């Protein structure tokens, strides 16, 4: 019924596109007007519009048509590229803070220039996020002439840009290109500095995320973390690894009778679907014997059980050359979606150390979180967020729910002519790869270029060996050779080219086809395995058939592929057995392809829940992060009234002191515990007060008197510093205390999160429990910070310039006197030390070592004298 209505009235997407198309026609109507102007006239009109926008005379929506038309005309003149009408539609979708789904090859890079120019007219920061440094640098360089023509500066942030001054210059540009990691880490680093001038970013106004599905969906499962060394003791990973290897892997046995419960054999079982390990009772007893403990799950042994769990995961779930590689005695993560090495990233919660123990490389110490944020919460900081990709509709629900982003599918400029064939399914992986090799050989002999997508490094190297035996020249692109990615992918369209790559390799790079290769059938795509996400497969298909080019794509699968084996092989296996498939034969049907897609939907749904889980927990931390970072920014501001803030803290400190001493408002004055106050003042503030000086008639008088005393003493101590110096000392110390307390709080939050899931066994919602406990921890954090700053500021000692000068002069006089006494002592020692036969060296003669100094000032110096010099 829905399909019938869609055919008659069109889908909601069709209606949206129709609305945008009318606006695009209005922009195109301005083309003749602007193309008749000279460069200078065009620039003058644009500058007038920009001035009006920045002065608040007109809004952006009022200049959209003219801005888009001028940008299109400038692009024709400067880049020799004219925006198609469908690209104008894409630009308007982005400007509205939505996701533009545009097929591969439709020119998303050029589309972005339209909303970028429009929003840069405000004078606020405009960011364009790409998936890697190569694309950020390429796009900024190629589009710079267009932006410069319209009076805008352009910057790019890449990983090799280490100098903060240069980074700040790039962010200060009107338009800045960079990767999601660079933008996110710069934000975290900006909130760890001690001077506003050290901040490199200048705000979060408008951002366009290229390949938005990759960045906001795929990479959103891993938060950005800046970590540092921890003082917390960690367990022996090597021992945990040995014990994990000594345990016996078992299976879950499903009984035939419904009355019986499933049971596990062996010491542990592996759940590949959820990537988890479950230790059996037998395994727990064995591990307790090997660790030498009575109860592995007691509080004092919790770290042992945690590291054993991670060691089991490292050995039985994480696979070398699939999840990670070992390079230069280091374990390096392989990004599961791009196939690239994630240098600098480490698995958290001790998993990385467990992998290092498994591989026998040096185990690096655990680190603690100094600052962290998820991509979801980073990008939601922008006033306006937009994105573009070739594949977004499959995740439209998540984009709407998490980011409040609609997806609009933009029609192609030229109809897609690529032929997408049904999947071919084989019984075994060996048969599948033999068929793939033969198909590659066919394409190569024909001269038709072929791009082969693999799901892992391991599989790409397996195919590489097969092609080498067949003597088929080819290029392999995986995480081990990703440095030349752009060049390898760009050349994949040459005649007879065979390129093996991970499914996402070369995203954003054009594969150029010649007339000859198009005549041979265009680019052929072979997928050797279905990815867990349909979007990744669609991206691989989309490498072919760009801008109306002909091409073809097909996936080769086997029942031994992870996706089918774990999620959907039973139904397909049943079909193959009924048909009676022989060695080397395959099945090909739409029903099987649908079964594969259903398996993918299951995995996508599972990953969506994981991302929601991460975000729900980070949302709790995010509220706290905002409070801390906002207060940090206040402290960094020289105009911030820190004196009033400290007055508030002093009042809080005294109120808490009286409460802890059980002195409350309304109680008789004769019951006041003055001894407690006197002891606490001495312990915490190093302040001695007499009882008669604080005796009061009522609670309020006592509170006022105590606040007045500590303020008067503090102000007197700080009077030796100039007002601006006093403010700077207070500000810097406050920041140091705040940062230290926040780091410890993050560590405590990580610890809480690690074990909170166990609350579920007690019929409690772990998320609700986490929210309650983390809130209480945060309230305690704020209270401790307030108390600590009062204590630290009260106990520091300052010297006036006069006192410091007097102390230095006294020290110099003492030094001279001691030198004279020591010289006399050394002369006597010399006479005893040297025999009468040896020539004695006079104290004022040149030193025989050749230094040019007098003997008494060089080798003739005595031990005590040298010690004094070192001390000073």
């Amino acid at each position: 019924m829905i399909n019938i209505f869609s055919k008659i009235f069109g889908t909601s997407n069709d209606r949206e596109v129709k609305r945008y198309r009318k606006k695009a026609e209005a922009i195109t109507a301005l083309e003749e007007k602007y193309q008749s102007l000279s460069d200078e006239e065009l620039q003058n009109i644009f500058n007038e519009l920009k001035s009006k926008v920045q002065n608040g005379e007109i809004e952006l929506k009022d200049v959209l048509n003219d801005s888009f038309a001028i940008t299109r005309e400038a692009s024709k003149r400067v880049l020799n590229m004219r925006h198609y009408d469908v690209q104008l539609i894409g630009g308007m979708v982005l400007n509205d803070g939505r996701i533009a789904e545009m097929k591969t090859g439709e020119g998303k890079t050029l589309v972005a220039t339209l909303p970028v120019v429009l929003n840069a007219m405000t004078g606020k920061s405009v960011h364009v996020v790409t998936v890697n440094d190569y694309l950020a640098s390429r796009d900024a360089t190629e589009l710079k002439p267009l932006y410069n023509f319209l009076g805008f500066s352009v910057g790019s942030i890449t990983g090799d840009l280490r100098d903060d001054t240069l980074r700040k210059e790039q962010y200060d540009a009107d338009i800045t290109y960079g990767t999601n990691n660079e933008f996110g880490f710069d934000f975290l680093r900006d909130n760890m500095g001690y001077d506003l001038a050290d901040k490199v970013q200048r705000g979060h106004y408008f951002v366009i995320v290229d390949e938005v599905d990759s960045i906001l969906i795929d990479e959103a499962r891993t938060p950005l973390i800046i970590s540092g060394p921890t003082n917390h003791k960690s367990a022996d990973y090597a021992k945990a690894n040995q014990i994990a290897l000594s345990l016996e892997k078992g299976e879950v046995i499903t009984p035939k009778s419904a009355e019986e419960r499933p049971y596990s054999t062996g010491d542990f079982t592996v759940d590949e679907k959820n990537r988890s390990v479950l230790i059996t009772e037998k395994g727990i007893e064995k591990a307790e014997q090997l660790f030498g403990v009575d109860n592995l799950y007691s509080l004092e042994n919790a770290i042992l059980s945690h590291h054993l769990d991670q060691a089991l995961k490292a050995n039985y779930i994480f696979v070398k050359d699939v999840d990670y590689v070992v390079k230069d005695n280091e374990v390096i993560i392989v990004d599961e979606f791009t196939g690239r090495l994630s240098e600098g990233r480490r698995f958290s919660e001790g998993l990385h150390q467990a992998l290092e123990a498994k591989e026998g490389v040096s185990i690096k110490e655990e680190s603690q979180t100094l600052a962290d944020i998820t991509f979801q919460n980073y990008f939601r900081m922008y006033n306006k967020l937009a994105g573009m990709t070739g594949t977004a509709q499959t995740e439209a629900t998540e984009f709407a729910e998490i980011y409040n982003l609609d997806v609009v599918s933009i029609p192609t400029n030229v109809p897609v002519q690529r032929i997408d064939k049904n999947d071919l399914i084989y019984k075994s992986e060996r048969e599948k790869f033999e068929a793939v090799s033969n198909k590659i050989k066919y394409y190569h002999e024909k001269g038709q270029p072929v791009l082969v997508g693999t799901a892992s490094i391991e599989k790409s190297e397996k195919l590489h060996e097969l092609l080498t035996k067949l003597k088929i020249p080819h290029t392999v692109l995986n995480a081990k050779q990703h440095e030349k990615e752009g060049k390898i992918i760009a050349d994949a369209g040459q005649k007879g080219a065979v390129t093996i790559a991970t499914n996402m390799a070369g995203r954003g790079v054009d594969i150029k086809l010649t007339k000859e290769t198009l005549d041979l059938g265009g680019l052929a795509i072979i997928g050797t395995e279905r990815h867990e996400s349909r979007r990744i497969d669609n991206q691989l298909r989309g490498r072919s058939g760009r801008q109306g080019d002909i091409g073809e794509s097909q996936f080769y699968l086997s029942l031994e592929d992870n996706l089918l084996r774990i999620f959907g092989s039973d139904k397909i296996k049943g079909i193959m057995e009924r048909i009676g498939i022989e060695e080397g034969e395959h099945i090909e049907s739409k029903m099987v392809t649908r079964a594969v897609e259903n398996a993918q939907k299951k995995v996508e749904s599972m990953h969506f829940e994981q991302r929601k889980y991460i975000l729900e927990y980070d949302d709790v931390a995010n509220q706290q992060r905002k409070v801390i970072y906002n207060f940090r920014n206040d402290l960094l501001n020289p105009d911030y009234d820190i004196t009033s803030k400290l007055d508030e803290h002093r009042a809080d400190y005294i109120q808490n002191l009286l409460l802890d001493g059980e002195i409350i408002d309304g109680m008789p004055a004769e019951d006041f515990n003055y001894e407690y106050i006197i002891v606490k003042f001495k312990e915490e503030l190093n302040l001695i007060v007499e009882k008669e000086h604080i005796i009061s008639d009522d609670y309020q008088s006592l509170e006022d008197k105590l606040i007045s005393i500590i303020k008067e003493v503090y102000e007197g101590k700080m009077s030796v510093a100039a007002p601006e110096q006093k403010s700077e000392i207070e500000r810097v110390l406050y920041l140091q205390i705040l940062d230290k307390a926040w780091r410890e709080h993050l560590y405590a939050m990580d610890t809480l999160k690690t074990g909170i899931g166990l609350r579920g066994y007690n019929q409690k919602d772990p998320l609700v429990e986490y929210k309650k406990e983390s809130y209480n921890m945060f309230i305690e954090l704020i209270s401790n910070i307030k108390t600590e700053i009062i204590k630290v500021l009260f106990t520091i000692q300052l010297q006036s310039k006069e006192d410091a000068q007097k102390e230095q002069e006294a020290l110099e006089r003492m030094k001279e006197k001691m030198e004279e006494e020591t010289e006399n002592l050394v002369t006597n020692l010399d006479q005893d030390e040297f025999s009468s036969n040896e020539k004695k060296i006079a104290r004022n003669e040149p030193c025989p070592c050749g230094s040019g100094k007098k003997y008494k000032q060089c080798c003739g110096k005595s031990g005590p004298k040298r010690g004094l010099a070192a001390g000073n």
Side-chain angles (χ1 to χ4, degrees):
M1 184 65 72
I2 293 171
N3 288 336
I4 293 170
F5 274 107
S6 296
K7 286 177 182 177
I8 297 171
F9 301 106
T11 63
S12 59
N13 190 83
D14 294 336
R15 292 191 290 275
E16 284 293 300
V17 171
K18 189 176 179 181
R19 183 172 64 84
Y20 280 119
R21 201 179 285 279
K22 285 182 179 177
K23 292 183 179 180
E25 289 169 1
I27 296 167
T28 301
L30 295 169
E31 191 166 15
E32 192 175 330
K33 168 188 172 183
Y34 287 120
Q35 68 185 11
S36 65
L37 302 176
S38 67
D39 287 358
E40 189 177 350
E41 289 171 332
L42 193 67
Q43 290 166 335
N44 288 339
I45 288 177
F46 184 78
N47 288 333
E48 286 175 21
L49 292 173
K50 186 164 62 173
S51 297
K52 288 180 179 179
V53 169
Q54 292 184 7
N55 293 334
E57 297 174 40
I58 50 177
E59 296 182 20
L60 278 187
K61 61 183 176 67
D62 301 321
V63 298
L64 186 146
N65 287 7
D66 289 284
S67 173
F68 274 37
I70 291 171
T71 304
R72 175 195 255 180
E73 182 59 32
S75 178
K76 281 159 55 181
R77 299 182 187 190
V78 178
L79 304 177
N80 198 29
M81 290 190 286
R82 177 186 179 274
H83 298 79
Y84 301 123
D85 280 10
V86 289
Q87 290 177 315
L88 296 179
I89 293 172
M92 286 184 279
V93 169
L94 293 173
N95 182 63
D96 286 345
R98 306 171 92 174
I99 292 174
E101 185 187 62
M102 303 182 73
K103 298 297 179 189
T104 306
E106 288 297 298
K108 292 187 288 291
T109 305
L110 189 63
V111 169
T113 60
L114 297 163
V116 162
V117 167
L118 177 64
N119 285 273
M121 293 172 81
T122 61
K124 297 174 183 175
S125 57
V126 174
H127 296 164
V128 182
V129 179
T130 64
V131 291
N132 58 48
D133 285 348
Y134 167 75
L135 292 176
S137 180
R138 183 202 71 178
D139 292 353
T141 302
E142 290 184 357
L143 299 173
K144 187 174 183 177
L146 170 61
Y147 295 132
N148 287 167
F149 179 88
L150 295 171
F152 295 119
S153 55
V154 186
S156 66
I157 305 291
T158 54
D160 56 2
L161 189 65
R162 301 293 182 192
D163 187 277
D164 282 348
T165 305
L166 294 177
R167 283 180 99 82
K168 185 172 173 56
E169 285 176 11
Q170 304 304 306
Y171 278 113
D172 285 343
D174 299 302
I175 301 153
T176 306
Y177 284 77
T179 64
N180 47 314
N181 284 334
E182 294 301 322
F183 281 122
F185 280 127
D186 280 338
F187 167 74
L188 292 177
R189 281 189 288 265
D190 276 353
N191 285 284
M192 295 173 71
Y194 285 82
D195 196 322
L196 274 177
D198 293 338
K199 287 198 170 196
V200 295
Q201 293 187 342
R202 65 182 180 101
H204 301 87
Y205 171 61
F206 178 56
V207 63
I208 294 177
V209 182
D210 192 9
E211 309 297 0
V212 66
D213 56 324
S214 174
I215 292 170
L216 296 191
I217 300 289
D218 299 336
E219 298 197 32
R221 283 161 65 189
T222 308
L224 290 169
I225 298 173
I226 292 180
S227 58
T230 176
N231 297 322
H232 304 274
K233 189 180 177 182
S234 60
D236 186 345
Y237 295 100
K239 185 174 182 181
N241 187 66
Q242 288 172 358
I243 292 173
L245 291 173
S246 67
L247 298 181
E248 183 184 341
K249 181 181 175 182
E251 294 180 359
V252 177
I253 306 298
T254 305
K256 294 178 182 178
S257 170
E259 287 76 28
E260 295 179 281
R261 288 186 175 184
Y263 63 93
S264 303
T265 63
D267 299 322
F268 65 93
T269 57
V270 176
D271 181 355
E272 291 185 272
K273 187 179 288 188
N274 295 305
R275 290 175 72 82
S276 61
V277 176
L278 180 66
I279 305 179
T280 64
E281 288 293 331
K282 178 185 170 187
I284 292 170
E285 289 176 12
K286 192 170 178 180
E288 285 171 343
Q289 289 174 2
L290 294 169
F291 273 121
V293 296
D294 295 328
N295 182 0
L296 187 61
Y297 290 93
S298 64
L299 195 61
E300 62 269 21
N301 295 326
I303 195 71
L304 296 180
S305 62
H306 175 69
H307 282 290
L308 177 59
D309 184 51
Q310 298 293 47
L312 287 167
K313 282 183 183 177
N315 282 283
Y316 296 99
I317 291 178
F318 285 77
V319 181
K320 184 179 176 182
D321 285 343
V322 175
D323 300 296
Y324 65 93
V325 297
V326 178
K327 181 180 174 185
D328 300 330
N329 199 37
E330 276 189 77
V331 170
I332 303 174
I333 298 172
V334 174
D335 188 291
E336 64 177 302
F337 294 99
T338 65
R340 298 186 182 95
L341 293 184
S342 301
E343 308 232 20
R345 264 177 58 194
R346 289 175 65 82
F347 290 114
S348 58
E349 299 177 3
L351 176 58
H352 212 97
Q353 285 83 359
L355 288 168
E356 288 169 335
K358 168 190 173 182
E359 296 298 337
V361 301
S362 57
I363 301 173
K364 294 183 180 177
E365 64 179 17
E366 274 194 83
S367 57
Q368 75 176 78
T369 302
L370 305 182
D372 68 337
I373 192 169
T374 57
F375 282 123
Q376 290 100 321
N377 277 321
Y378 174 73
F379 284 109
R380 291 195 299 191
M381 287 194 306
Y382 283 88
N383 294 355
K384 189 156 66 170
L385 165 65
M388 49 190 185
T389 180
T391 47
Q393 282 294 357
T394 55
E395 312 291 349
T397 303
E398 182 165 354
F399 281 123
E401 197 170 319
I402 303 295
Y403 301 99
N404 197 27
L405 286 171
D406 296 331
V407 177
V408 179
S409 295
I410 314 297
T412 57
N413 186 48
V414 180
V416 176
Q417 296 189 53
R418 184 187 66 246
I419 300 168
D420 295 328
K421 299 178 180 178
N422 288 327
D423 298 352
L424 303 182
I425 303 186
Y426 294 81
K427 274 190 172 181
S428 69
E429 187 176 78
R430 177 184 56 77
E431 295 170 74
K432 175 185 75 173
F433 274 111
E434 283 178 5
V436 168
S437 302
N438 291 330
K439 190 68 173 179
I440 293 171
K441 184 179 181 182
Y442 163 76
Y443 283 129
H444 179 65
E445 289 175 349
K446 180 183 171 186
Q448 186 176 355
V450 57
L451 176 65
V452 187
T454 61
S456 67
I457 300 167
E458 181 186 41
K459 299 294 165 60
S460 67
E461 294 186 344
K462 190 172 190 175
L463 189 55
H464 161 65
E465 290 174 9
L466 287 171
L467 295 184
T468 303
K469 287 178 183 176
L470 292 172
K471 297 182 178 177
I472 298 173
H474 60 280
T475 306
V476 180
L477 174 61
N478 57 34
K480 293 183 176 179
Q481 302 95 13
H482 72 287
E483 292 87 355
K484 299 176 182 177
E485 177 180 310
K487 180 75 171 69
I488 292 172
I489 289 294
D491 292 343
Q494 301 298 312
K495 183 180 178 181
V498 177
T499 309
I500 302 171
T502 50
N503 289 2
M504 290 283 286
R507 197 167 181 174
V509 179
D510 279 333
I511 298 179
K512 305 291 185 186
L513 298 177
T514 63
K515 176 71 169 63
E516 185 180 14
T517 51
L518 284 170
D519 290 340
L520 290 167
L523 181 65
I525 300 290
I526 293 179
T528 59
E529 194 172 330
R530 281 283 194 171
H531 197 275
E532 290 179 345
S533 169
R534 288 169 292 165
R535 288 179 299 101
I536 310 302
D537 293 338
N538 292 338
Q539 281 287 340
L540 180 61
R541 285 194 195 275
R543 312 303 303 158
S544 175
R546 298 160 75 97
Q547 286 292 337
D549 289 344
I550 62 169
E552 59 185 272
S553 70
Q554 190 163 36
F555 280 84
Y556 286 67
L557 315 178
S558 83
L559 293 182
E560 293 176 356
D561 293 350
N562 285 342
L563 180 73
L564 298 185
R565 184 172 54 81
I566 299 170
F567 291 95
S569 65
D570 291 343
K571 186 183 290 184
I572 300 168
K573 190 175 181 180
I575 295 169
M576 295 182 84
E577 285 175 353
R578 285 198 299 273
I579 296 173
I581 298 295
E582 299 295 329
E583 171 78 19
E585 291 183 345
H586 65 267
I587 59 171
E588 175 185 358
S589 75
K590 288 186 177 179
M591 183 173 69
V592 172
T593 300
R594 279 198 299 272
V596 172
E597 287 186 357
N598 287 333
Q600 289 175 306
K601 286 177 183 176
K602 286 181 189 175
V603 186
E604 287 169 0
S605 175
M606 187 177 75
H607 287 331
F608 178 32
E609 291 304 316
Q610 286 178 354
R611 288 188 290 269
K612 274 179 66 179
Y613 171 85
I614 289 170
L615 184 61
E616 284 170 340
Y617 279 82
D618 189 63
D619 279 343
V620 178
N622 196 47
Q623 297 303 316
Q624 300 177 5
R625 187 187 300 115
K626 284 179 181 176
V627 172
I628 295 295
Y629 283 3
N630 286 339
F631 184 51
R632 248 190 139 272
N633 288 333
D634 288 341
L635 289 173
L636 290 172
N637 187 347
D639 298 327
Y640 180 69
D641 185 5
I642 195 168
T643 301
S644 298
K645 181 58 69 176
L646 290 174
D647 285 342
E648 289 176 20
H649 293 352
R650 270 189 283 269
D652 289 340
Y653 173 78
I654 293 300
Q655 288 165 7
N656 290 331
L657 177 71
L658 295 176
L659 188 62
D660 292 342
E662 298 181 354
I663 303 171
I664 56 175
D665 195 5
M667 72 183 298
E670 58 268 21
D671 293 338
F672 288 171
N673 187 352
Y674 294 111
E675 286 71 22
Y676 179 82
I677 298 170
I678 292 167
V679 169
K680 280 295 178 182
F681 268 23
K682 179 71 174 73
E683 283 180 1
E684 296 180 347
L685 305 181
N686 198 26
L687 176 63
I688 298 172
V689 293
E690 302 294 337
K691 183 176 177 179
E692 55 266 25
H693 293 151
I694 59 174
I695 290 177
S696 305
D697 296 330
D698 54 53
Y699 175 88
Q700 192 60 53
S701 299
L702 176 62
E703 183 184 316
D704 293 343
K705 191 174 287 185
L706 294 176
I707 292 172
S708 176
I709 288 172
I710 64 173
K711 181 172 183 179
E712 187 178 331
V713 173
Y714 173 73
E715 295 295 344
K717 182 175 66 172
M718 297 296 282
S719 62
V720 298
E724 62 275 9
Q725 289 178 318
K726 172 178 174 287
S727 177
E728 181 67 9
I729 291 167
E730 292 169 341
R731 189 174 65 85
V732 170
L733 284 174
Y734 208 142
L735 284 167
Q736 289 176 346
I737 289 166
L738 180 72
D739 288 349
K740 183 176 182 294
W742 177 241
R743 285 197 297 270
E744 290 299 321
H745 178 70
L746 287 176
Y747 183 84
M749 292 271 280
D750 283 344
T751 306
L752 173 65
K753 195 188 303 179
T754 300
I756 202 73
L758 297 173
R759 306 286 176 93
Y761 293 113
N762 198 27
Q763 305 302 312
K764 292 182 178 179
D765 185 336
L767 181 61
V768 172
E769 293 295 301
Y770 180 74
K771 285 179 178 178
K772 279 169 28 183
E773 292 208 23
S774 63
Y775 174 77
N776 292 334
M777 287 165 62
F778 188 66
I779 295 300
E780 186 178 352
L781 167 76
I782 299 300
S783 176
N784 290 343
I785 289 171
K786 290 177 179 179
T787 302
E788 190 65 18
I789 186 62
I790 293 302
K791 290 180 183 178
V792 169
L793 284 173
F794 214 91
T795 52
I796 62 168
Q797 297 297 321
L798 300 181
Q799 280 187 322
S800 65
K801 287 183 180 177
E802 293 78 8
D803 289 342
Q805 183 65 33
K806 287 177 183 176
E807 187 174 317
Q808 185 63 30
E809 289 172 0
L811 199 60
E812 290 294 332
R813 286 195 298 273
M814 186 189 302
K815 182 180 174 183
E816 288 174 8
K817 185 177 180 183
M818 288 180 71
E819 282 182 347
E820 287 176 13
E821 292 174 356
T822 308
E823 189 169 332
N824 293 332
L825 175 63
V826 170
T827 302
N828 294 332
L829 286 172
D830 286 345
Q831 289 171 354
D832 294 337
E833 186 178 345
F834 294 103
S835 67
S836 58
N837 296 332
E838 293 173 1
K839 182 183 176 183
K840 294 175 183 173
I841 305 169
R843 298 285 297 150
N844 289 319
E845 282 184 12
C847 187
C849 74
S851 66
K853 296 181 180 179
K854 291 182 180 180
Y855 177 68
K856 70 177 181 180
Q857 294 171 334
C858 190
C859 296
K861 279 188 178 181
S862 69
K865 191 172 179 182
R866 284 196 299 274
L868 178 65
N872 286 326

